């Protein structure tokens, strides 16, 4: 008799616990496959400490292969589920597709950033759901403090050292608390102008911090934040976001280069494509975490609307605690449905309390309903995290010890750029890679605060960006037309560096503009504003010179270089000369001192901004 096939989608709190429980219960009597975009389980509650430089990134990741030895790991993202055919179609990390057949399917795809219809937020804000976003925020905050310390204009200095966090829930509160400590430590090494210090603003439309938690926990967190210097503003949110700052709902304009979006989460869009009954974006399941009418389909975690038997008529909230417990119950019921375990069990829970790490020795906790603050709360909070983590406990404890006795290293690694972590994405655990394969996305990457190098290196300047592109799903990035993609809001994705340097037959030649003039996007496009903190376009002031610029490598479609691979009709033979592109009417023909090709520079290349992106 063949072994049953169990497929689990997602390795978050619910998916990881389900895979681990099934592996132990079935003991090799079933084929268990785990589909996930990454090869690790991410312990999300400690992400603020990664962004603040307390923990190294790999400390909050747990290897799936090492901790789930009897589970087959398949890297990829689910694209389509054929419920009648019991097959799941996915796309791998290199763009190749695949199909998985199943007898039981467990959906635990998790959640993504929650968006609100506020002008400019999708373009200028960054979320805080995955490791790439935490690494980006760490680099961006470090860069802003360093640039502020070197700024001569007091207004620019103040804008760079103002950090706005929207959402005073669990994540936003911890980000603001740790962020204030992180920047205060940095300015001791890079003093700002006299009388100035970093300013963190925490906004929420709710009446208090941590509105979903106990009032004592909320008041403790609020007091610690205000004592530390965080500007806590309840009943206030963002009305509009711009490259220069944000307009608040009370009418105030706050100049800033940083907007962190921690408003909340929404279920992964994958479940919407199933055509099954939903509850506020979540898939309706019974108390056994099974989809009614589909005995082979289970759902748990943030994508499942699980009835709360402790509060009849309501559903369990989207928290890590519930997701972790969902995973165990779902696994036990899957095993029972296959005759590999005991009887089915409904999901019931008991509230064990919450912990909120506020940095240093400060925390707020209410274990088993007992309200704690100060050092005791800090000890309980860190003890809880060590107990809850499925791995890396010794390494995490070692990092905490080192942070207590040694100063933090505030350096920019430059591993994640602004356009790599768009707010509107269905894959917050993956950073965008130029030229990589297309992935399942709701919208294309956008530049946000922290994306503009022009504004970072030349105060008040504007950079360049691609103009209008196609809407809808993102094409494969190696295909023609994939350089610029737009979502419905009209925000453009930056082109890859190599693509920017190459000429395009049939298109208008690119131009280089002085630093004090805005550069225009491609023909038919609109001018895109730069965002502080990202990488410069090649060929723009402050960036690496384009390959067809003086002092740079000749472009592949320029005389003396290899012909471009994106010429009409396919790739020309490498030993054939490529047709020389014609300069525009307002540009003189090539002559002494002028590089051949369609790009004309009016100023020498400036390498001063390298390393700032």
């Amino acid at each position: 008799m063949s072994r049953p096939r169990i497929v689990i989608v997602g390795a978050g709190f619910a998916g990881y616990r389900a895979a681990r429980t099934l592996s132990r219960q079935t003991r090799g009597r079933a084929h268990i496959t785990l589909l996930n975009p990454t090869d690790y389980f991410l312990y999300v509650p400690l992400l603020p400490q990664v962004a603040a430089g307390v923990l190294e990134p790999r400390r909050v990741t747990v290897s799936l292969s090492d901790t789930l030895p009897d589970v087959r790991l398949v890297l990829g993202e689910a694209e389509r589920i054929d419920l009648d055919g019991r097959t799941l179609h996915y796309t791998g990390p290199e763009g190749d597709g695949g199909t998985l057949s199943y007898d039981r399917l467990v959906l635990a795809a998790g959640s993504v950033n929650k968006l609100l219809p506020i002008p400019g937020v999708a373009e200028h804000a960054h979320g805080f759901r995955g490791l790439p976003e935490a690494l980006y925020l760490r680099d961006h905050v470090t860069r802003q403090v360093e640039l502020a310390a070197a700024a001569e204009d007091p207004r620019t200095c103040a804008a760079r050292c103002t950090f706005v966090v929207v959402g005073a829930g669990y994540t936003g509160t911890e980000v603001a608390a740790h962020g204030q400590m992180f920047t205060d430590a940095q300015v001791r090494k890079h003093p700002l102008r006299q009388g100035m210090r970093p300013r963190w603003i925490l906004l929420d439309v709710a009446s208090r911090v941590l509105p979903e938690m106990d009032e004592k926990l909320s008041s403790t967190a609020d007091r610690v934040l205000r004592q530390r210097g965080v500007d806590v503003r309840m009943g206030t949110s963002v009305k509009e976001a711009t490259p220069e700052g944000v307009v608040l709902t009370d009418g105030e304009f706050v100049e800033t280069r940083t907007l962190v979006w921690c408003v909340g989460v929404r279920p992964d869009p994958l479940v919407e494509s199933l055509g099954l009954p939903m509850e506020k974006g979540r898939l309706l399941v019974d108390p056994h975490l099974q989809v009614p009418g589909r005995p082979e389909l289970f759902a748990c975690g943030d994508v499942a609307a699980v009835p709360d038997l402790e509060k009849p008529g309501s559903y369990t909230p989207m928290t890590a605690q519930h997701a972790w417990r969902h995973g165990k119950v779902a696994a036990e019921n899957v095993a029972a449905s296959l005759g590999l375990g005991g009887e089915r069990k409904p999901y019931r829970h008991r509230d064990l309390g919450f912990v909120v790490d506020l940095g240093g020795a400060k925390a707020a906790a209410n274990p088993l309903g007992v309200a704690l603050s100060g050092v005791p709360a800090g000890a309980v909070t860190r003890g809880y995290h060590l107990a809850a983590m499925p791995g890396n406990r010794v390494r995490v404890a070692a990092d905490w010890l080192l942070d207590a006795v040694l100063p933090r290293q505030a350096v920019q690694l430059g591993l994640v750029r602004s356009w790599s972590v768009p707010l509107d994405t269905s894959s917050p655990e993956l950073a965008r890679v130029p030229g990589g394969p297309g992935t399942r996305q709701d919208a294309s990457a956008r530049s946000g605060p922290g994306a503009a190098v022009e504004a970072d290196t030349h105060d008040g300047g504007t950079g360049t960006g691609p103009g209008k592109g196609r809407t809808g799903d993102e094409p494969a990035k190696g295909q023609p037309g994939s350089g610029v993609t737009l979502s419905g809001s009209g925000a453009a994705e930056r082109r890859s560096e190599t693509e920017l340097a190459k000429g395009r037959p049939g298109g208008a030649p690119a131009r280089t503009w002085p630093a004090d003039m805005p550069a225009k996007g491609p023909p038919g496009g609109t001018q895109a504003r730069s965002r502080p903190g990202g990488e410069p376009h090649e060929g723009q002031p402050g960036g690496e010179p384009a390959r067809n610029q003086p002092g740079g490598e000749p472009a592949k479609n320029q005389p003396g270089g290899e012909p471009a691979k994106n010429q009409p009709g396919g790739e020309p033979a490498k030993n054939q000369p490529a047709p020389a592109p014609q300069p525009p009417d307002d540009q003189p023909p090539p002559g002494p001192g002028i590089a051949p090709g369609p790009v004309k520079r009016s100023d020498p290349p400036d390498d001063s901004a390298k390393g700032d992106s």
Side-chain angles (χ1 to χ4, degrees):
M1 181 178 178
S2 62
R3 293 183 295 173
R5 300 160 298 178
I6 304 173
V7 175
I8 304 171
V9 179
F13 280 90
Y16 180 86
R17 185 78 182 277
R20 192 172 72 171
T21 304
L22 275 168
S23 176
R24 293 174 178 176
Q25 285 210 342
T26 59
R27 298 182 180 180
R29 292 176 293 171
H31 287 288
I32 305 173
T33 301
L34 179 61
L35 177 68
N36 197 58
T38 65
D39 63 352
Y40 59 80
F41 160 77
L42 176 65
Y43 191 75
V44 178
L46 291 182
L47 271 185
Q49 297 193 28
V50 174
V54 178
L55 296 177
E56 289 301 311
R58 281 187 289 186
R59 303 295 187 258
V60 299
T61 62
V62 177
S63 171
L64 298 177
S65 299
D66 291 347
T67 56
L68 302 173
D70 296 327
V71 176
R72 175 194 174 204
L73 173 64
V74 175
L75 294 178
E77 294 184 89
E79 294 287 346
R80 182 172 57 87
I81 299 174
D82 182 356
L83 295 176
D84 296 327
R86 295 195 178 188
T87 56
L88 182 149
H89 303 271
Y90 69 92
T91 300
E94 295 184 350
D96 52 324
T99 302
L100 298 173
S101 299
Y102 62 84
D103 297 301
R104 296 292 185 271
L105 177 63
V106 181
L107 292 177
S111 56
V112 298
N113 294 310
K114 180 181 180 181
L115 298 179
L116 297 178
I118 300 175
V121 165
E123 295 84 1
H124 306 311
H126 286 282
F128 202 80
R129 290 290 304 157
L131 195 56
E133 292 170 321
L135 292 175
Y136 166 74
L137 183 61
R138 179 176 173 176
D139 270 9
H140 173 70
V141 169
T142 301
R143 176 168 55 253
Q144 295 307 310
V145 172
E146 292 172 348
L147 291 172
E152 297 181 358
D153 179 20
R155 183 174 177 180
T156 300
C157 179
R160 292 193 182 282
C161 277
T162 299
F163 307 93
V164 178
V165 180
V166 185
Y170 184 94
T171 301
T173 299
E174 287 198 339
V175 167
H178 281 278
Q180 186 72 65
M181 288 189 66
F182 183 45
T183 52
D184 284 347
Q186 283 186 273
V187 297
R188 287 195 287 267
K189 301 176 183 179
H190 303 278
L192 303 178
R193 300 177 65 88
Q194 187 174 5
M196 299 184 67
R197 64 168 293 191
R199 176 191 182 197
W200 285 77
I201 303 176
L202 180 62
L203 308 174
D204 202 303
V205 294
S207 59
R208 59 186 176 91
V209 173
L210 302 174
E212 69 278 9
M213 299 184 184
D214 182 79
E215 289 191 12
K216 292 184 179 179
L217 203 69
S218 174
S219 61
T220 298
D222 186 274
R223 182 176 65 255
V224 172
L225 290 171
R226 295 181 188 274
Q227 289 175 349
R228 191 165 291 167
V230 177
D231 186 357
V232 180
R233 302 191 186 186
M234 296 294 98
T236 307
S237 188
V238 172
K239 183 178 180 181
E240 181 183 0
T242 71
E244 292 78 26
V246 294
V247 180
L248 305 184
T249 51
D250 60 6
E252 180 183 354
F253 180 76
V254 178
E255 291 191 67
T256 181
R257 302 291 189 271
T258 309
L259 180 58
V260 186
W261 192 254
C262 301
V263 168
V265 295
R266 57 190 171 99
D268 190 287
L270 172 67
V271 296
E272 298 177 359
S273 64
L274 299 179
L276 297 174
M278 309 286 289
E279 172 63 29
K280 295 182 178 179
R282 294 194 282 173
L283 191 62
L284 275 173
V285 297
D286 61 22
H288 301 92
L289 306 180
Q290 194 170 25
V291 177
R294 291 285 179 178
E296 78 286 357
L297 184 59
F298 293 76
C300 53
D302 290 347
V303 298
V306 182
D308 191 342
L309 299 182
E310 303 297 324
K311 301 177 181 178
S314 62
Y315 299 92
T316 58
M318 298 166 64
T319 65
Q321 282 190 13
H322 282 294
W324 186 252
R325 299 167 185 169
H326 286 176
K328 180 180 180 181
V329 174
E332 291 173 345
N333 290 337
V334 167
S337 70
L338 294 171
L340 303 176
E343 297 181 355
R344 296 198 310 161
K345 301 178 181 178
Y347 176 72
R348 293 184 180 275
H349 71 92
R350 180 188 175 194
D351 189 1
L352 301 178
F354 287 91
V355 294
V356 181
D357 189 347
L358 301 175
K362 300 295 181 68
N366 61 346
L368 302 176
V370 180
L372 298 175
S373 61
V375 176
V380 169
T381 298
R382 296 202 167 184
Y384 169 80
H385 286 314
L386 288 179
M389 288 195 68
N392 287 351
R393 296 185 180 94
V394 175
R395 290 185 173 92
V396 169
D399 272 8
W400 282 342
L401 177 61
L402 292 175
D403 181 68
V405 297
L406 296 176
R408 299 180 193 177
Q409 293 179 299
V411 295
Q412 300 178 52
L413 299 180
L415 300 178
V416 181
R417 309 299 173 88
S418 174
W419 47 264
S420 299
V421 283
L423 180 64
D424 190 2
T425 175
S426 59
S427 303
E429 60 278 291
L430 294 176
R432 289 282 181 88
V433 179
T439 56
R440 178 174 57 84
Q441 300 290 345
D442 296 302
S444 57
R446 300 177 176 89
S447 301
V453 171
E454 194 66 14
D456 273 351
T457 54
H458 305 287
D459 296 340
T462 52
T464 62
K468 296 180 180 179
R470 67 185 103 220
T471 60
D473 294 335
E474 179 186 5
K477 295 185 179 179
Q479 301 299 325
S482 64
V484 181
T485 310
L486 279 180
S487 71
S489 63
E493 177 181 3
R494 285 184 192 230
R495 287 179 259 183
S496 64
E497 297 181 6
T498 54
E499 185 180 357
L500 287 170
K502 296 178 182 179
R504 283 168 176 71
R511 300 181 184 178
T512 301
W513 298 83
D516 58 347
M517 295 178 62
K520 297 182 179 179
T526 57
Q527 175 181 338
R529 298 181 180 178
S530 61
R531 317 281 188 256
E535 72 180 297
H537 294 315
E538 300 182 2
Q540 294 301 328
E544 180 183 356
R547 295 185 177 181
N548 56 351
Q549 298 298 329
E553 179 184 352
K556 291 185 178 181
N557 59 345
Q558 301 298 329
E562 181 184 355
K565 295 182 179 181
N566 57 350
Q567 299 293 337
E571 178 180 353
K574 294 186 177 181
N575 58 352
Q576 297 295 329
Q582 298 298 321
D585 296 336
D586 59 346
Q587 179 175 324
I594 300 178
V599 181
K600 174 185 176 183
R601 284 191 67 98
S602 58
D603 60 338
D606 180 10
D607 293 337
S608 62
K610 289 183 179 179
D612 284 345
S613 58

